Amino acid sequence: MEEADIDILKRALERERRARKEAERILEKKSGELYLISEELKEANRKLEGTLLQKTNELQGVFDNLVDAYVLMDVKGNILAMNQSAIELFGFQDGSDGVNVVDLIYKEDFEYAMQSFNELVQKGSFSDYQARVYTRKKGVRNVHINASVISNDSGEPVAAQGIVRDITEALENEEERKALLLDLERTNKDLTDFAHVVSHDLKSPLRSMDTLINWLKEDFNENFDPKASETLELLLDKVDKMDRLIEGVLQYSSIDRSEMSTERIDTVALVNEITHTLEVPKHIDIEVGDLPVVEANKYRLLQLFQNLLSNAILNMDKKQGDILVTGIERQADYYFKVEDNGKGIPKSYQQKIFNIFESLNDDEQSTGIGLAIVKKVIEFYKGTIWVESEVSKGTVIHFTIGKEKHGRA
């Protein structure tokens, strides 16, 4: 072999040696990279397994501690699993007693249940299903069910799950509530009718007494001494107070009657109308400020403002009496104030004045019903009332009227 051929061979071998070393270096580098990737994958896998275990435990905790009963079944209705609430509701030892949901359906609800099950399969879910079911320990129970289908990757239904709530007691309580409301309505009607009958029966002799006393005054006034005439006047005052007391009781009993109509009422016009009908002494000024338009029954609002203004007038002890009525519309209600500079109300009486037959003084004109009527009207309209007052300086009565559908009207 010639020397030139030997040099060529040597150079080829050298190139092959260098190429092999480079390949080994690359292979070593790639092996290291693969090792790092492998370690990263192992770490990621460990994290995924930890996360999966954590989520599985969390879901198991939710499954076990769900307040409502949870039932898992296959597409044929065979129960696969139940949570503890479902086991307690249906009375099973565990969630795999080989029971089919058909066995739990109350026989009279079977057709309805099958229709709902078909709806579940076709639509994938149903809600607000209410029916009766058999249980092993609690007998027949009323339940509310929301259910959905579980599908595989191909979209084929493989199972179904349902949340079951026992509503037996709730339905019984609702029936009791309805019965109590009906009984209350009957009682209220009876009381209202009774109040009308009693007021009529009581007013009749009062009218007779008033007539007889006035006849005595007309026929024998000249023969009466001043003391006798004063006594007759006192009797007439007592008769008048009794008449107003009976009328007040009748008004109080009829405040929450539901059949009264509502309308939009300009309270400025309403209060001005009241001030023109009241006997307002010359030394008392009633100022009407800005007031909102409200939706209510006019008769009820008339009672409310009339009694508040009458009370302020009755308790005015200043040479110059001032009464101010103001109000505004707010987001959720209407807010009003009735302010006066009268005798004021002691703190110990500021809540009592709204009780029926409670009166701050022994004035013959006071029946003790006016402010009780005010409070009852405000409560009917879902409002509140409170007092700020200082003896000898005056009183501010605050109250609100709600904007929601009022009371039972």
Side-chain angles (χ1 to χ4, degrees), residues 290-304:
D290 292 332
L291 293 171
V293 175
V294 303
E295 187 171 340
N297 174 261
K298 184 176 181 180
Y299 174 71
R300 290 190 180 107
L301 286 195
L302 194 69
Q303 287 180 301
L304 190 157

Side-chain angles (χ1 to χ4, degrees), residues 183-402:
D183 187 54
L184 183 61
E185 288 178 5
R186 285 193 294 267
T187 302
N188 284 339
K189 185 178 184 305
D190 291 343
L191 287 173
T192 302
D193 294 343
F194 176 75
H196 280 82
V197 170
V198 169
S199 66
H200 178 271
D201 291 347
L202 288 176
K203 280 192 170 189
S204 181
L206 284 177
R207 284 192 292 267
S208 298
M209 288 174 64
D210 184 270
T211 301
L212 289 172
I213 293 170
N214 279 298
W215 283 352
L216 285 172
K217 286 178 62 180
E218 291 174 6
D219 294 343
F220 302 102
N221 193 42
E222 295 180 358
N223 300 323
F224 288 150
D225 58 30
K227 189 68 176 176
S229 296
E230 183 181 341
T231 301
L232 289 176
E233 289 298 330
L234 286 173
L235 281 172
L236 285 174
D237 287 341
K238 295 291 185 183
V239 169
D240 182 60
K241 182 176 180 178
M242 181 61 73
D243 184 73
R244 285 185 285 109
L245 182 63
I246 293 169
E247 187 62 32
V249 170
L250 186 60
Q251 290 178 359
Y252 185 84
S253 69
S254 63
I255 286 171
D256 53 4
R257 276 170 33 204
S258 60
E259 65 269 18
M260 291 186 175
S261 61
T262 61
E263 58 185 290
R264 290 182 60 78
I265 299 168
D266 181 351
T267 48
V268 171
L270 181 74
V271 174
N272 282 326
E273 178 185 332
I274 293 169
T275 58
H276 291 139
T277 57
L278 289 174
E279 293 183 11
V280 183
K282 292 182 179 180
H283 71 287
I284 297 177
D285 290 331
I286 299 178
E287 181 182 351
V288 182
D290 292 332
L291 293 171
V293 175
V294 303
E295 187 171 340
N297 174 261
K298 184 176 181 180
Y299 174 71
R300 290 190 180 107
L301 286 195
L302 194 69
Q303 287 180 301
L304 190 157
F305 283 105
Q306 184 172 291
N307 280 295
L308 285 174
L309 291 172
S310 296
N311 185 71
I313 292 169
L314 185 62
N315 290 284
M316 182 60 67
D317 61 347
K318 304 297 189 297
K319 289 183 179 180
Q320 175 56 49
D322 295 309
I323 300 171
L324 173 63
V325 184
T326 56
I328 58 170
E329 179 177 356
R330 303 193 298 194
Q331 185 173 356
D333 58 24
Y334 303 96
Y335 165 72
F336 297 90
K337 283 196 302 185
V338 178
E339 306 174 61
D340 68 66
N341 64 334
K343 63 177 66 174
I345 305 169
K347 197 154 189 75
S348 59
Y349 279 91
Q350 288 180 12
Q351 292 304 316
K352 292 181 180 179
I353 59 172
F354 297 110
N355 297 334
I356 192 167
F357 302 129
E358 286 280 357
S359 179
L360 189 59
N361 52 55
D362 296 325
D363 194 291
E364 286 295 322
Q365 293 182 322
S366 177
T367 62
I369 296 180
L371 290 181
I373 290 175
V374 167
K375 184 180 180 183
K376 194 171 183 183
V377 170
I378 290 169
E379 288 176 344
F380 180 87
Y381 286 110
K382 308 300 183 186
T384 55
I385 185 167
W386 66 99
V387 178
E388 291 179 349
S389 185
E390 191 173 343
V391 175
S392 79
K393 290 190 176 181
T395 300
V396 182
I397 293 184
H398 309 258
F399 66 94
T400 63
I401 291 177

